[in-house]
Coordinates of all heavy atoms in Angstrom, one line a residue:
M202 N 0.8 -1.2 0.0 CA 0.0 0.0 0.0 C 0.8 1.2 0.0 O 1.9 1.3 0.7 CB -0.8 -0.1 1.2 CG -1.8 1.2 1.4 SD -2.8 0.9 2.7 CE -3.2 2.5 3.2
T203 N 0.6 2.2 -0.7 CA 1.4 3.5 -0.9 C 0.6 4.6 -0.2 O -0.7 4.5 -0.1 CB 1.7 3.9 -2.4 OG1 0.4 4.1 -3.0 CG2 2.5 2.7 -2.9
T204 N 1.3 5.6 0.3 CA 0.6 6.7 0.9 C 0.6 7.9 -0.1 O 1.7 8.2 -0.6 CB 1.4 7.2 2.1 OG1 1.5 6.1 3.0 CG2 0.7 8.4 2.8
P205 N -0.6 8.4 -0.5 CA -0.6 9.5 -1.5 C 0.1 10.7 -0.9 O -0.1 10.9 0.3 CB -2.1 9.6 -1.8 CG -2.7 9.0 -0.5 CD -1.9 8.0 0.1
V206 N 0.6 11.5 -1.7 CA 1.3 12.7 -1.4 C 0.7 13.8 -2.1 O 0.6 13.7 -3.4 CB 2.8 12.7 -1.6 CG1 3.4 14.1 -1.3 CG2 3.5 11.5 -0.9
R207 N 0.0 14.8 -1.4 CA -0.6 16.0 -2.1 C 0.5 16.8 -2.8 O 1.6 16.8 -2.3 CB -1.4 16.8 -1.0 CG -2.5 16.0 -0.5 CD -3.3 17.0 0.4 NE -2.6 17.9 1.2 CZ -2.1 17.7 2.4 NH1 -2.3 16.7 3.0 NH2 -1.4 18.8 3.0
A208 N 0.1 17.5 -3.8 CA 0.9 18.5 -4.5 C 1.4 19.5 -3.4 O 0.6 20.0 -2.7 CB 0.3 19.1 -5.7
G209 N 2.7 19.7 -3.4 CA 3.2 20.7 -2.5 C 3.6 20.2 -1.1 O 4.2 20.8 -0.3
A210 N 3.2 18.9 -0.9 CA 3.5 18.3 0.5 C 4.9 17.5 0.2 O 5.1 17.0 -0.9 CB 2.5 17.4 0.9
S211 N 5.6 17.4 1.2 CA 6.7 16.5 1.2 C 6.4 15.0 1.3 O 5.4 14.8 2.0 CB 7.8 17.0 2.2 OG 7.3 16.9 3.5
A212 N 7.2 14.2 0.8 CA 7.0 12.8 0.9 C 7.4 12.4 2.4 O 8.2 13.0 3.0 CB 7.9 12.0 -0.1
P213 N 6.8 11.3 2.8 CA 7.2 10.8 4.1 C 8.6 10.5 4.3 O 9.2 10.1 3.3 CB 6.3 9.6 4.4 CG 5.3 9.6 3.3 CD 5.8 10.5 2.2
A214 N 9.2 10.9 5.3 CA 10.6 10.5 5.6 C 10.9 9.0 5.6 O 10.2 8.3 6.2 CB 11.1 11.1 6.9
A215 N 11.9 8.6 4.9 CA 12.3 7.2 4.9 C 13.1 7.0 6.2 O 13.8 7.8 6.7 CB 13.2 7.0 3.7
G216 N 12.9 5.9 6.7 CA 13.5 5.5 7.9 C 13.0 4.1 8.5 O 12.2 3.4 7.7
P217 N 13.6 3.7 9.5 CA 13.1 2.4 10.1 C 11.6 2.3 10.2 O 11.0 3.4 10.7 CB 13.8 2.3 11.4 CG 14.9 3.3 11.3 CD 14.5 4.4 10.4
R218 N 10.9 1.2 9.9 CA 9.6 1.1 10.1 C 9.1 0.8 11.5 O 9.9 0.1 12.3 CB 9.1 0.0 9.2 CG 9.1 0.3 7.7 CD 8.6 -0.8 6.9 NE 8.9 -2.1 7.3 CZ 10.0 -2.9 6.9 NH1 10.7 -2.3 5.9 NH2 10.2 -4.0 7.4
P219 N 8.0 1.3 12.0 CA 7.5 0.9 13.3 C 7.4 -0.6 13.3 O 7.1 -1.4 12.4 CB 6.0 1.4 13.4 CG 6.1 2.6 12.4 CD 7.1 2.2 11.2
G220 N 7.6 -1.2 14.5 CA 7.7 -2.6 14.6 C 8.9 -3.2 14.4 O 9.1 -4.5 14.5
T221 N 10.0 -2.5 14.1 CA 11.3 -3.0 13.9 C 12.2 -2.7 15.1 O 11.8 -2.2 16.1 CB 11.8 -2.4 12.6 OG1 12.0 -1.1 12.7 CG2 11.1 -2.8 11.4
W222 N 13.5 -2.7 14.9 CA 14.5 -2.5 16.0 C 14.4 -1.1 16.5 O 14.7 -0.9 17.7 CB 15.9 -2.7 15.4 CG 16.2 -1.9 14.3 CD1 16.2 -2.1 12.9 CD2 16.7 -0.5 14.3 NE1 16.6 -1.1 12.2 CE2 16.9 -0.1 12.9 CE3 17.2 0.3 15.4 CZ2 17.4 1.2 12.6 CZ3 17.5 1.6 15.0 CH2 17.7 2.0 13.7
I223 N 13.9 -0.1 15.8 CA 13.8 1.2 16.3 C 13.0 1.3 17.6 O 13.3 2.2 18.4 CB 13.3 2.1 15.2 CG1 13.6 3.7 15.5 CG2 11.8 2.0 15.0 CD1 15.0 4.1 15.3
E224 N 12.0 0.6 17.8 CA 11.2 0.6 19.0 C 11.9 0.2 20.3 O 11.6 0.4 21.4 CB 9.9 -0.2 18.8 CG 9.0 0.5 17.8 CD 7.8 -0.3 17.6 OE1 7.6 -1.4 18.1 OE2 6.9 0.2 16.9
E225 N 13.1 -0.6 20.1 CA 13.8 -1.1 21.3 C 15.1 -0.2 21.4 O 15.9 -0.4 22.4 CB 14.3 -2.5 21.0 CG 13.1 -3.4 20.8 CD 13.5 -4.9 20.5 OE1 14.6 -5.3 21.1 OE2 12.9 -5.6 19.8
A226 N 15.2 0.7 20.6 CA 16.5 1.6 20.7 C 16.5 2.5 21.9 O 15.4 3.1 22.1 CB 16.6 2.5 19.4
L227 N 17.5 2.5 22.6 CA 17.6 3.3 23.9 C 17.6 4.8 23.6 O 17.1 5.6 24.4 CB 18.9 3.0 24.7 CG 18.9 1.5 25.2 CD1 20.2 1.4 26.0 CD2 17.8 1.2 26.1
C228 N 18.0 5.3 22.4 CA 18.0 6.6 22.1 C 16.5 7.2 22.1 O 16.3 8.4 22.3 CB 18.6 6.9 20.7 SG 18.0 6.0 19.4
A229 N 15.6 6.3 21.8 CA 14.2 6.8 21.8 C 13.7 7.0 23.2 O 12.6 7.7 23.3 CB 13.3 5.6 21.1
Q230 N 14.5 6.6 24.2 CA 14.0 6.8 25.6 C 14.8 8.0 26.2 O 14.8 8.2 27.4 CB 14.2 5.6 26.4 CG 13.4 4.4 25.8 CD 13.8 3.1 26.3 OE1 14.3 3.1 27.5 NE2 13.7 2.1 25.6
T231 N 15.8 8.6 25.5 CA 16.6 9.7 26.0 C 16.6 11.0 25.2 O 15.6 11.1 24.2 CB 18.1 9.1 25.9 OG1 18.4 9.0 24.6 CG2 18.3 7.9 26.7
D232 N 17.2 11.9 25.6 CA 17.2 13.2 25.0 C 17.8 13.2 23.6 O 19.0 12.9 23.4 CB 18.1 14.2 25.8 CG 18.1 15.7 25.3 OD1 17.3 15.9 24.3 OD2 19.0 16.3 25.7
P233 N 17.0 13.4 22.6 CA 17.5 13.4 21.2 C 18.5 14.4 20.8 O 19.3 14.2 19.9 CB 16.1 13.6 20.3 CG 15.2 14.3 21.2 CD 15.6 13.9 22.7
E234 N 18.6 15.4 21.6 CA 19.6 16.5 21.4 C 21.1 15.9 21.5 O 22.0 16.3 20.8 CB 19.4 17.7 22.3 CG 18.2 18.4 22.1 CD 18.1 19.2 20.7 OE1 19.3 19.8 20.3 OE2 17.2 19.2 20.1
A235 N 21.2 14.9 22.4 CA 22.5 14.3 22.6 C 23.0 13.7 21.3 O 24.3 13.5 21.1 CB 22.4 13.3 23.8
F236 N 22.1 13.2 20.5 CA 22.5 12.5 19.4 C 22.7 13.4 18.1 O 23.1 12.9 17.0 CB 21.4 11.4 18.9 CG 21.4 10.3 20.1 CD1 20.6 10.5 21.2 CD2 22.2 9.2 20.1 CE1 20.6 9.6 22.2 CE2 22.2 8.3 21.0 CZ 21.4 8.5 22.1
H237 N 22.6 14.6 18.3 CA 22.9 15.7 17.3 C 23.6 16.8 17.9 O 23.1 17.9 17.9 CB 21.5 16.1 16.6 CG 20.7 15.1 16.0 ND1 21.0 14.7 14.7 CD2 19.8 14.2 16.5 CE1 20.2 13.6 14.3 NE2 19.5 13.4 15.4
P238 N 24.9 16.5 18.3 CA 25.6 17.6 19.0 C 26.0 18.7 17.9 O 26.1 18.4 16.7 CB 26.9 16.9 19.4 CG 27.0 15.6 18.5 CD 25.6 15.3 18.2
R239 N 26.1 19.9 18.4 CA 26.5 21.0 17.5 C 28.0 20.9 17.3 O 28.7 20.2 17.9 CB 26.1 22.3 18.2 CG 24.6 22.5 18.3 CD 24.3 23.9 18.9 NE 22.8 24.2 18.8 CZ 22.1 24.0 19.7 NH1 22.4 23.6 21.0 NH2 20.8 24.3 19.6
V240 N 28.4 21.7 16.3 CA 29.8 21.8 15.9 C 30.6 22.1 17.1 O 30.3 23.1 17.8 CB 30.0 22.8 14.8 CG1 31.6 22.9 14.5 CG2 29.3 22.3 13.5
G241 N 31.6 21.3 17.4 CA 32.4 21.6 18.6 C 31.9 20.9 20.0 O 32.8 20.8 20.9
E242 N 30.8 20.4 19.9 CA 30.3 19.7 21.1 C 30.7 18.2 21.0 O 30.8 17.7 19.9 CB 28.7 19.8 21.2 CG 28.3 21.2 21.6 CD 26.7 21.3 21.7 OE1 26.0 20.2 21.4 OE2 26.3 22.3 22.2
S243 N 30.8 17.6 22.1 CA 31.1 16.1 22.2 C 29.9 15.2 21.9 O 28.7 15.6 22.3 CB 31.6 15.9 23.7 OG 31.9 14.5 23.7
S244 N 30.2 14.1 21.3 CA 29.2 13.2 21.1 C 29.3 12.0 22.1 O 28.7 11.0 22.0 CB 29.4 12.5 19.7 OG 30.7 12.0 19.5
A245 N 30.0 12.2 23.1 CA 30.3 11.2 24.1 C 29.1 10.7 24.8 O 28.9 9.5 25.1 CB 31.3 11.7 25.1
A246 N 28.1 11.6 25.2 CA 26.9 11.2 25.9 C 26.1 10.2 24.9 O 25.6 9.2 25.4 CB 26.1 12.4 26.2
A247 N 26.0 10.5 23.7 CA 25.2 9.7 22.8 C 25.9 8.3 22.7 O 25.4 7.2 22.6 CB 25.1 10.3 21.4
K248 N 27.2 8.3 22.6 CA 28.0 7.1 22.4 C 28.0 6.2 23.6 O 27.9 5.0 23.5 CB 29.5 7.4 22.1 CG 29.7 8.0 20.7 CD 31.1 8.3 20.3 CE 31.3 8.6 18.9 NZ 32.6 8.7 18.5
R249 N 27.8 6.8 24.8 CA 27.6 6.0 26.1 C 26.3 5.3 25.9 O 26.1 4.1 26.4 CB 27.7 6.9 27.3 CG 29.1 7.3 27.7 CD 29.1 7.9 29.1 NE 28.4 9.2 29.3 CZ 28.9 10.3 28.9 NH1 30.2 10.5 28.4 NH2 28.2 11.4 29.0
V250 N 25.2 5.9 25.5 CA 23.9 5.3 25.4 C 24.0 4.2 24.3 O 23.6 3.0 24.5 CB 22.8 6.3 24.9 CG1 21.5 5.6 24.6 CG2 22.6 7.4 26.0
C251 N 24.6 4.4 23.2 CA 24.8 3.4 22.1 C 25.6 2.2 22.6 O 25.2 1.1 22.2 CB 25.5 4.1 20.9 SG 24.5 5.3 20.1
A252 N 26.5 2.5 23.4 CA 27.4 1.3 23.9 C 26.6 0.2 24.6 O 27.0 -0.9 24.6 CB 28.5 1.9 24.8
V253 N 25.5 0.5 25.2 CA 24.8 -0.5 26.0 C 23.4 -0.7 25.3 O 22.6 -1.5 25.8 CB 24.5 0.0 27.5 CG1 25.9 0.1 28.2 CG2 23.8 1.3 27.6
C254 N 23.2 -0.2 24.1 CA 21.9 -0.3 23.4 C 21.8 -1.8 22.8 O 22.8 -2.2 22.1 CB 21.7 0.7 22.3 SG 20.1 0.6 21.5
P255 N 20.7 -2.4 23.0 CA 20.5 -3.8 22.5 C 20.4 -3.9 21.0 O 20.6 -4.9 20.5 CB 19.3 -4.3 23.2 CG 18.4 -3.1 23.5 CD 19.6 -2.0 23.8
V256 N 20.1 -2.8 20.3 CA 19.9 -2.8 18.9 C 21.0 -2.1 18.2 O 20.8 -1.6 17.0 CB 18.5 -2.4 18.5 CG1 17.5 -3.3 19.0 CG2 18.3 -1.0 18.9
R257 N 22.2 -1.8 18.8 CA 23.2 -1.0 18.2 C 23.6 -1.5 16.8 O 23.9 -0.7 15.9 CB 24.4 -1.0 19.1 CG 25.5 -0.1 18.5 CD 26.8 0.0 19.4 NE 27.8 0.7 18.9 CZ 29.0 0.8 19.3 NH1 29.3 0.2 20.5 NH2 29.9 1.6 18.7
A258 N 23.8 -2.8 16.7 CA 24.3 -3.4 15.4 C 23.2 -3.1 14.2 O 23.6 -2.7 13.2 CB 24.5 -4.9 15.5
A259 N 22.0 -3.2 14.6 CA 21.0 -3.0 13.6 C 21.0 -1.5 13.2 O 20.7 -1.1 12.1 CB 19.6 -3.5 14.0
C260 N 21.1 -0.6 14.2 CA 21.1 0.7 14.1 C 22.3 1.2 13.1 O 22.1 1.9 12.1 CB 21.1 1.5 15.4 SG 21.3 3.3 15.3
L261 N 23.4 0.6 13.4 CA 24.6 0.9 12.6 C 24.5 0.4 11.2 O 24.8 1.1 10.3 CB 25.9 0.4 13.3 CG 27.1 0.6 12.6 CD1 27.4 2.1 12.3 CD2 28.3 0.0 13.3
A262 N 23.9 -0.8 11.0 CA 23.8 -1.3 9.7 C 22.8 -0.4 8.9 O 23.1 -0.1 7.7 CB 23.2 -2.7 9.8
Y263 N 21.8 0.1 9.5 CA 20.8 1.0 8.8 C 21.6 2.3 8.4 O 21.5 2.7 7.4 CB 19.6 1.3 9.8 CG 18.8 2.4 9.2 CD1 17.8 2.2 8.2 CD2 18.9 3.6 9.7 CE1 17.1 3.1 7.6 CE2 18.1 4.7 9.1 CZ 17.2 4.4 8.1 OH 16.4 5.4 7.6
A264 N 22.3 2.9 9.4 CA 23.1 4.1 9.2 C 24.1 4.0 8.1 O 24.3 4.9 7.3 CB 23.6 4.6 10.4
L265 N 24.7 2.9 7.9 CA 25.7 2.7 6.9 C 25.1 2.6 5.6 O 25.8 3.0 4.5 CB 26.6 1.4 7.2 CG 27.5 1.4 8.4 CD1 28.1 0.1 8.7 CD2 28.6 2.5 8.2
G266 N 23.9 2.4 5.5 CA 23.1 2.3 4.2 C 22.5 3.6 3.8 O 21.9 3.8 2.9
Q267 N 22.7 4.6 4.8 CA 22.1 5.9 4.5 C 23.1 7.0 4.8 O 23.3 7.6 5.8 CB 21.0 6.1 5.5 CG 20.0 5.0 5.7 CD 19.1 4.9 4.5 OE1 18.7 5.9 3.9 NE2 18.8 3.7 4.1
P268 N 24.0 7.2 3.7 CA 25.1 8.2 3.9 C 24.7 9.6 4.4 O 25.5 10.2 4.9 CB 25.8 8.1 2.5 CG 25.2 7.1 1.8 CD 23.9 6.7 2.4
E269 N 23.5 9.9 4.1 CA 23.1 11.4 4.3 C 22.7 11.5 5.7 O 22.3 12.7 6.1 CB 22.0 11.8 3.2 CG 20.7 11.2 3.6 CD 20.6 9.8 3.0 OE1 21.5 9.2 2.4 OE2 19.5 9.1 3.2
L270 N 22.6 10.5 6.5 CA 22.1 10.7 7.9 C 23.0 11.6 8.8 O 24.2 11.3 8.8 CB 21.9 9.4 8.6 CG 20.7 8.5 8.3 CD1 20.8 7.2 9.0 CD2 19.5 9.2 8.6
A271 N 22.4 12.6 9.5 CA 23.1 13.3 10.4 C 23.1 12.7 11.8 O 22.1 11.9 12.1 CB 22.6 14.8 10.5
G272 N 24.0 13.1 12.7 CA 23.9 12.6 14.1 C 24.6 11.3 14.3 O 25.1 10.7 13.4
V273 N 24.5 10.9 15.6 CA 25.1 9.6 16.0 C 24.1 8.6 15.8 O 23.0 8.6 16.3 CB 25.5 9.7 17.5 CG1 26.1 8.4 18.0 CG2 26.5 10.8 17.7
W274 N 24.5 7.5 15.1 CA 23.7 6.3 14.8 C 24.6 5.1 15.0 O 25.7 5.0 14.6 CB 23.2 6.3 13.4 CG 22.1 7.3 13.1 CD1 22.2 8.5 12.9 CD2 20.7 6.9 12.9 NE1 20.9 9.1 12.7 CE2 20.1 8.1 12.6 CE3 20.0 5.8 12.9 CZ2 18.7 8.1 12.4 CZ3 18.7 5.7 12.7 CH2 18.0 7.0 12.4
G275 N 24.2 4.1 15.8 CA 25.0 2.9 16.1 C 26.3 3.2 16.7 O 27.2 2.5 16.6
G276 N 26.3 4.3 17.4 CA 27.6 4.6 18.2 C 28.5 5.4 17.4 O 29.7 5.6 17.9
L277 N 28.3 5.8 16.2 CA 29.3 6.4 15.3 C 28.7 7.7 14.8 O 27.6 7.8 14.4 CB 29.7 5.5 14.1 CG 30.4 4.2 14.5 CD1 30.7 3.5 13.2 CD2 31.6 4.4 15.3
T278 N 29.6 8.7 14.7 CA 29.2 10.0 14.0 C 29.2 9.9 12.5 O 29.7 8.9 12.0 CB 30.3 11.1 14.4 OG1 31.5 10.8 13.8 CG2 30.4 11.2 15.9
P279 N 28.7 10.9 11.7 CA 28.7 10.8 10.3 C 30.2 10.6 9.8 O 30.4 9.7 8.9 CB 28.1 12.1 9.9 CG 27.2 12.5 11.0 CD 27.9 12.1 12.2
L280 N 31.2 11.3 10.4 CA 32.5 11.2 9.9 C 33.0 9.7 10.1 O 33.6 9.1 9.3 CB 33.4 12.2 10.6 CG 34.9 12.1 10.4 CD1 35.1 12.4 8.9 CD2 35.7 13.0 11.3
E281 N 32.7 9.2 11.4 CA 33.2 7.8 11.6 C 32.6 6.8 10.7 O 33.2 5.8 10.3 CB 32.9 7.5 13.1 CG 33.8 8.4 14.0 CD 33.3 8.3 15.4 OE1 32.1 8.1 15.7 OE2 34.2 8.6 16.4
R282 N 31.3 7.0 10.4 CA 30.6 6.1 9.5 C 31.2 6.1 8.1 O 31.3 5.1 7.4 CB 29.0 6.4 9.5 CG 28.4 6.0 10.8 CD 26.9 6.0 10.6 NE 26.2 7.1 10.2 CZ 25.9 8.2 10.9 NH1 26.1 8.2 12.2 NH2 25.4 9.3 10.4
G283 N 31.5 7.3 7.7 CA 32.2 7.5 6.3 C 33.5 6.8 6.3 O 33.8 6.1 5.3
Q284 N 34.3 7.0 7.4 CA 35.6 6.2 7.5 C 35.4 4.7 7.4 O 36.1 4.1 6.7 CB 36.4 6.7 8.8 CG 36.7 8.1 8.7 CD 37.3 8.5 10.0 OE1 37.0 8.0 11.1 NE2 38.0 9.7 10.0
L285 N 34.4 4.2 8.2 CA 34.1 2.8 8.2 C 33.7 2.4 6.8 O 34.1 1.3 6.3 CB 33.0 2.5 9.3 CG 32.6 0.9 9.3 CD1 33.9 0.2 9.8 CD2 31.5 0.9 10.4
R286 N 32.8 3.1 6.1 CA 32.4 2.7 4.8 C 33.6 2.6 3.8 O 33.7 1.6 3.0 CB 31.5 3.8 4.2 CG 30.1 3.6 4.6 CD 29.2 4.6 3.8 NE 28.1 4.8 4.6 CZ 27.8 5.9 5.4 NH1 28.9 6.8 5.5 NH2 26.8 6.2 6.0
R287 N 34.6 3.6 3.9 CA 35.8 3.6 3.0 C 36.6 2.4 3.4 O 37.2 1.7 2.5 CB 36.6 4.9 3.1 CG 35.9 6.0 2.4 CD 36.7 7.3 2.4 NE 36.9 7.9 3.7 CZ 36.0 8.6 4.3 NH1 34.8 8.9 3.8 NH2 36.3 9.2 5.5
W288 N 36.8 2.1 4.7 CA 37.6 1.0 5.1 C 37.1 -0.4 4.7 O 37.8 -1.2 4.3 CB 37.7 1.1 6.7 CG 38.6 -0.1 7.2 CD1 39.9 -0.1 7.3 CD2 38.1 -1.3 7.7 NE1 40.3 -1.4 7.8 CE2 39.2 -2.2 8.1 CE3 36.9 -1.9 7.9 CZ2 39.1 -3.3 8.7 CZ3 36.7 -3.2 8.4 CH2 37.8 -3.8 8.8
A289 N 35.8 -0.5 4.7 CA 35.1 -1.7 4.3 C 35.1 -2.1 2.7 O 34.7 -3.2 2.4 CB 33.7 -1.7 4.8
R290 N 35.4 -1.1 2.0 CA 35.5 -1.3 0.5 C 36.6 -2.3 0.2 O 37.5 -2.6 0.4 CB 35.8 -0.1 -0.2 CG 34.6 0.9 -0.3 CD 34.9 2.1 -1.1 NE 33.9 3.1 -0.7 CZ 33.9 4.3 -1.3 NH1 34.9 4.6 -2.1 NH2 32.9 5.1 -1.1

């Protein structure tokens, strides 16, 4: 089933579907600001949450397939995910 999009409206954001690993992610239970640090701010708080998250591997796998994602996903920043992608080639 598809969702119709009215002219002038933006399409629904692509992302993990409800009923998948995203519902078990610890980040969904914490301050989302920690996962989107401003330039110069530390990502350490987000990484501490990711370190104990039961779905970290699924989150990272998702993020590696979405190069445009901002913020900390699967315990890695966008720069770190880019480095991992290059290393894995």
Side-chain angles (χ1 to χ4, degrees):
M202 181 174 152
T203 60
T204 304
V206 178
R207 295 185 325 268
S211 60
R218 293 184 317 266
T221 62
W222 59 267
I223 195 76
E224 292 179 354
E225 297 177 40
L227 293 180
C228 61
Q230 304 166 30
T231 60
D232 179 15
E234 295 292 320
F236 295 87
H237 297 277
R239 291 187 172 96
V240 175
E242 289 182 352
S243 174
S244 60
K248 290 181 174 193
R249 281 192 298 275
V250 173
C251 293
V253 297
C254 184
V256 296
R257 180 180 180 188
C260 178
L261 181 56
Y263 172 77
L265 290 173
Q267 310 294 320
E269 70 282 354
L270 282 180
V273 176
W274 286 75
L277 300 180
T278 64
L280 177 64
E281 293 165 334
R282 292 192 306 270
Q284 291 170 340
L285 182 58
R286 279 188 209 92
R287 285 188 293 280
W288 179 81
R290 288 184 192 175

